[in-house]
Amino acid sequence: MLLPALLRRPLAAAAARLALPSAGPQVCLATGPRQNNGIFYEIRTYDIKPAKMKEFLEMVNKYFHFRTAHSELVGFWYSELGAMNRVLHIWKYDNFAHRTAVRHALANDKDWQGKFISAALPLVEKQHNEVAYLVPWCQLGKPSKEGGVYEWVTFQMKPGGPALWGEAFRSAINAHINTGYTKLIGVFHTEYGLLNTVHVLWWNESPDQRAAGRHSAHEDARVVAAVRDSVRFLESQQNVLLIPLQCSPLK
């Protein structure tokens, strides 16, 4: 049955209003802003068989120069607290074509395949990788001196990307930096892997210095206020204490 003309007109008007974009704030569900170039970082995490950890680390220090001949290693660490029998390494690439070329070259590198890969793979229980960008307001830093320890803090944020939680997260990071007890090395936001994940890499002179500084920071009203604002967007957090290997550029 055909609707009367007077009834059709209000329905058409309502449909048109529904089709119009909302005048309210728009939240971008994409990964959000990043550095203004193609550079990205591949974060690799390997779980090593418990009885084979010492052997694996010795092999890395002995043979990893074959791997670093092909692309830039940012850092290589093993976990001391927060995870066990785990290594984490970060690689820098100019773009995805660069990574593809490197992976092809590695597959054809007889020294790398024969001296390291064939012997190391049986020692590994699980591998995981992510692609991440540095957030726009962070440049990759270096510690003031060699030695010390690193802390790898993984934040799982609520869906919505930096457009939703970026400013609050930045304020919380800056509040910790301003206390002066720790050195920020990098803030990485995932592009591949579990999305809305942010990894923050810190450097401290020692675990005890980190503990004392963190205790003091949590009594700072500015830190407390910034953290309270940012945790509204937080789903989970994991902290891992890392020790750099001899082959790691970040020591």
Side-chain angles (χ1 to χ4, degrees), residues 178-197:
N178 292 338
T179 64
Y181 81 90
T182 186
K183 166 72 175 178
L184 178 67
I185 303 300
V187 180
F188 304 88
H189 179 223
T190 56
E191 179 78 6
Y192 287 99
L194 188 60
L195 294 185
N196 297 297
T197 301

Side-chain angles (χ1 to χ4, degrees), residues 8-248:
R8 288 200 303 268
R9 282 196 291 270
L11 288 174
R17 285 194 297 271
L18 289 173
L20 291 174
S22 169
Q26 300 294 301
V27 176
C28 177
L29 293 179
T31 54
R34 57 180 174 84
Q35 297 279 347
N36 230 356
N37 52 49
I39 292 174
F40 68 85
Y41 298 84
E42 182 178 5
I43 302 163
R44 287 183 162 244
T45 306
Y46 299 166
D47 289 338
I48 310 302
K49 294 178 180 179
K52 299 296 184 180
M53 187 66 170
K54 183 175 182 292
E55 181 181 351
F56 182 86
L57 297 181
E58 289 174 348
M59 289 184 59
V60 170
N61 282 321
K62 184 175 181 180
Y63 294 118
F64 230 59
H65 61 281
F66 293 124
R67 175 61 184 85
T68 55
H70 292 277
S71 65
E72 181 180 347
L73 175 65
V74 174
F76 200 122
W77 304 265
Y78 67 87
S79 62
E80 179 69 14
L81 296 171
M84 298 183 69
N85 302 302
R86 181 172 295 173
V87 298
L88 183 147
H89 39 122
I90 303 175
W91 300 90
K92 180 181 178 181
Y93 293 102
D94 296 333
N95 48 48
F96 288 97
H98 178 208
R99 181 185 182 276
T100 298
V102 168
R103 301 303 299 176
H104 178 77
L106 287 169
N108 291 282
D109 186 324
K110 294 181 179 179
D111 285 329
W112 173 244
Q113 295 294 330
K115 295 179 180 178
F116 182 81
I117 291 296
S118 60
L121 280 183
L123 312 182
V124 178
E125 283 194 333
K126 185 170 64 174
Q127 294 177 296
H128 175 72
N129 72 339
E130 300 168 282
V131 166
Y133 294 99
L134 281 172
V135 296
W137 44 269
C138 175
Q139 298 297 319
L140 195 63
K142 292 183 177 180
S144 55
K145 59 183 179 180
E146 289 191 1
V149 296
Y150 291 79
E151 184 176 12
W152 182 254
V153 187
T154 299
F155 299 91
Q156 187 57 43
M157 308 302 290
K158 291 183 178 179
L164 176 66
W165 42 257
E167 286 305 313
F169 188 88
R170 180 180 182 179
S171 296
I173 294 296
N174 286 336
H176 282 86
I177 294 172
N178 292 338
T179 64
Y181 81 90
T182 186
K183 166 72 175 178
L184 178 67
I185 303 300
V187 180
F188 304 88
H189 179 223
T190 56
E191 179 78 6
Y192 287 99
L194 188 60
L195 294 185
N196 297 297
T197 301
V198 183
H199 300 291
V200 183
L201 183 62
W202 302 94
W203 176 86
N204 295 281
E205 289 187 6
S206 71
D208 287 321
Q209 180 265 339
R210 179 260 184 199
R214 189 171 176 85
H215 178 77
S216 176
H218 286 178
E219 295 181 343
D220 187 315
R222 296 165 299 178
V223 174
V224 172
V227 169
R228 282 179 177 173
D229 186 43
S230 68
V231 295
R232 297 181 293 125
F233 308 108
L234 181 64
E235 293 194 336
S236 66
Q237 176 181 338
Q238 182 185 25
N239 295 34
V240 179
L241 185 72
L242 299 174
I243 308 298
L245 270 68
Q246 179 184 335
C247 66
S248 177

